Amino acid sequence: MDDWIGVINTSDLDVGEVVEITCHGEDLLLYRTPDGHCHAVTAYCPHLNNYMPNGLPPGTPPTELLKNDELHCPYHGWRFNTAGQCIGIPQGQRVPPAVRAGRPVLRRWAVREENGMLEIGQLLP
Ligand code: FES
């Protein structure tokens, strides 16, 4: 089954940029890291299920969520790598077992660039 869905032109996502999209019925963040690769993750933080862009000051673009190749949740400072693992929780907060074990906690989708389009595929394990 081919369930790739084109969402935006590849040229519309620069290195270091984050855009909010809806695809497969999910609110996602689509971003391009400094190595040029694109990633699609849920826009809801696994900490308290907050919509991450809403934690930014009003009018701030979602690109501010990306620091190099890490997404930083603006609510309580959790940091996520491109594998969906939480790689940083500020001191004083509880660290859940899944984070301690290094398991991915941020849901991710496959992304490919095809015929000038960025396409979102299946949920990754
Ligand atoms: S809701 Fe994201 S760090 Fe708390």
Side-chain angles (χ1 to χ4, degrees):
M1 187 173 105
D2 185 10
D3 56 0
W4 291 95
I5 298 175
V7 287
I8 61 171
N9 292 323
T10 57
S11 58
D12 289 338
L13 189 67
D14 292 330
V15 166
E17 196 172 5
V18 181
V19 294
E20 299 161 78
I21 61 168
T22 299
C23 186
H24 296 298
E26 304 269 354
D27 297 326
L28 305 179
L29 300 174
L30 180 62
Y31 63 99
R32 191 185 295 273
T33 46
D35 62 7
H37 291 121
C38 295
H39 309 271
V41 299
T42 177
Y44 295 91
C45 180
H47 178 212
L48 293 177
N49 206 34
N50 285 325
Y51 185 73
M52 288 191 271
N54 283 353
L56 295 167
T60 305
T63 292
E64 292 301 314
L65 298 170
L66 187 61
K67 312 289 181 206
N68 294 311
D69 61 356
E70 297 175 2
L71 281 178
H72 291 203
C73 179
Y75 284 97
H76 310 99
W78 287 28
R79 300 168 21 235
F80 306 95
N81 65 15
T82 57
Q85 297 163 306
C86 179
I87 53 170
I89 293 179
Q91 214 163 13
Q93 296 183 40
R94 288 181 183 222
V95 179
V99 172
R100 265 200 305 274
R103 291 199 298 273
V105 292
L106 195 61
R107 296 191 310 142
R108 303 172 300 133
W109 279 258
V111 181
R112 72 180 182 188
E113 301 192 42
E114 194 82 2
N115 299 321
M117 290 292 292
L118 280 170
E119 298 180 339
I120 308 294
Q122 293 187 337
L123 185 63
L124 295 172

